[in-house]
Amino acid sequence: MKRALFDRLMAAKAGAVPAALVTDLGTGMQSLVTPETVEGAFGMDETLLRLVRARIQADRSGIVEEGDDRFFVHVHNPPLRLFIVGAVHIAQALAPMAALTGYAVTVIDPRRAFATDERFPGIAVNGEWPDDALNALKPDSRSAVVTLTHDPKLDDPALLVALRSPAFYVGALGSSRTHAKRVDRLREQGLSDREIANIHGPVGLSIGAVSPAEIAVSIMAQITAVRRRDRD
Amino acid sequence: MNTSDDILSTAAAWMAEGRKVALATVVSTWGSSPRPVGSQMAVDAAGAMAGSVSGGCIEGAVVMEAQKTLQDGEPRMLSFGVTDEMAWEVGLACGGKVQVYVEAVE
């Protein structure tokens, strides 16, 4: 790979721009494709370009054949995102675990005592109200949202935004009883039963988790299952 | 950790230190290969590696090929699998097949 193209790829990644590095497996020549641009060693006809961009959209790297030519399309999408509402003890275990799994993590909590950089080293901490924060961060189809505060004042507004977003996973901490009350409140606030049914609550896989770290494992496992089960 | 982001960042950091770097990328798989298409590994001239292209079965062989690529500048397509003639040395214990593209960043 030419150093200049490598640098362009790194710049795309730094700017969270979806991109694909396309390698002509016959000649070794390469070009970088983004939703807006194409640059590099070889031009692409419309058909190939469309196939490459479809693969960016589908987040699917692989070999594309066109006539006798074979191209490897390597998709580099921005990382998946996880928004954790509640800078609580479980969040302190879940945030680094999710980062290790490849997620860009943001912990949201307007309570100053909880949302400190000291409690979440290396993790983005957001001190806005959860609904304001999520409205600004705009969860998309590559985002997961987990509420952990137990406090309806904080969890409910977050869920109202998350459940109306394309987020692929929404989870809410709380026992079955707590969850039943939450469902009643959300229904009163105008969410449909169908929207409410998208909440994973009680959150996490049922593995008998007790400690905050174990609960974080069960949540991360559930997010992974939702993300991966329907693919490949 | 082993996300492709980190591999490329590691490669960039190595190059900033003046080290030559080759990238090895899984371009196709069949059967139960352990790492998906797009998985990457960075290799320097001394044989240091970051990332993975299998569960540890073929990385040693890939490092050797990557070092050749760093010497002659030629990209290489490597194939590994149980039906491969190299199977006795570096076959995949899982029974899958994998193709790895090796290139220098220059």
Side-chain angles (χ1 to χ4, degrees):
Chain A
M1 193 190 316
K2 299 287 181 219
R3 182 60 201 260
L5 202 63
F6 179 88
D7 290 340
R8 294 294 302 148
L9 172 59
M10 294 305 281
K13 286 167 98 59
V17 175
L21 181 71
V22 183
T23 304
D24 183 329
L25 292 174
T27 64
M29 288 201 292
Q30 293 171 315
S31 289
L32 189 70
V33 176
T34 73
E36 306 291 331
T37 64
V38 185
E39 55 192 311
F42 65 95
M44 275 172 241
D45 60 34
E46 275 304 313
T47 316
L48 180 57
L49 202 53
R50 233 190 338 264
L51 287 171
V52 170
R53 289 197 168 127
R55 280 185 172 265
I56 293 176
Q57 187 69 32
D59 194 27
R60 198 169 189 86
S61 297
I63 290 174
V64 169
E65 294 184 9
E66 205 189 38
D68 292 337
D69 297 323
R70 295 171 80 230
F71 301 92
F72 177 60
V73 180
H74 194 178
V75 176
H76 294 270
N77 266 322
L80 298 163
R81 295 186 295 167
L82 172 63
F83 303 116
I84 302 173
V85 176
V88 296
H89 199 174
I90 294 171
Q92 286 179 282
L94 180 58
M97 216 177 269
L100 207 56
T101 313
Y103 287 75
V105 181
T106 303
V107 175
I108 301 163
D109 200 323
R111 300 169 299 179
R112 292 246 169 101
F114 286 87
T116 67
D117 290 334
E118 194 183 15
R119 282 164 57 80
F120 294 91
I123 302 285
V125 174
N126 183 315
E128 302 288 316
W129 275 86
D131 47 352
D132 292 339
L134 286 179
N135 277 323
L137 291 164
K138 295 192 182 5
D140 57 18
S141 61
R142 292 172 54 78
S143 303
V145 181
V146 176
T147 63
L148 299 177
T149 73
H150 274 129
D151 182 344
K153 282 200 307 297
L154 295 169
D155 283 355
D156 289 4
L159 291 170
L160 284 169
V161 177
L163 290 169
R164 285 169 170 157
S165 79
F168 74 88
Y169 177 94
V170 179
L173 185 73
S175 65
S176 300
R177 226 179 52 184
T178 308
H179 189 63
K181 287 186 200 156
R182 173 184 295 134
V183 168
D184 290 342
R185 288 194 309 272
L186 293 175
R187 202 175 276 136
E188 277 168 29
Q189 302 227 34
L191 281 187
S192 69
D193 285 352
R194 196 164 164 185
E195 286 168 323
I196 290 170
N198 285 329
I199 306 174
H200 289 84
V203 74
L205 296 184
S206 179
I207 56 172
V210 174
S211 72
E214 289 170 354
I215 293 167
V217 168
S218 80
I219 295 171
M220 206 58 237
Q222 188 171 49
I223 294 172
T224 306
V226 169
R227 169 84 187 143
R228 293 294 191 190
R229 257 194 204 135
D230 293 340
R231 293 167 55 92
D232 302 326
Chain B
M1 258 192 99
N2 270 354
T3 65
S4 73
D5 277 313
D6 284 304
I7 305 313
L8 294 182
S9 300
T10 301
W14 285 357
M15 286 188 283
E17 293 170 7
R19 293 153 76 178
K20 287 184 162 182
V21 177
L23 294 173
T25 309
V26 176
V27 298
S28 63
T29 64
W30 298 264
S32 55
S33 58
R35 297 278 283 129
V37 169
S39 301
Q40 272 189 318
M41 190 170 129
V43 179
D44 80 353
M49 61 176 180
S52 65
V53 290
S54 77
C57 318
I58 60 171
E59 275 76 0
V62 172
V63 166
M64 279 165 53
E65 296 297 319
Q67 287 176 304
K68 287 183 203 162
T69 287
L70 284 174
Q71 273 169 16
D72 63 19
E74 291 298 319
R76 287 168 164 73
M77 184 70 86
L78 315 177
S79 299
F80 299 93
V82 284
T83 58
D84 193 271
E85 61 188 31
M86 296 171 81
W88 295 107
E89 293 172 68
V90 285
L92 286 164
C94 51
K97 286 199 237 174
V98 58
Q99 270 194 318
V100 178
Y101 186 72
V102 180
E103 61 187 318
V105 185
E106 52 195 1

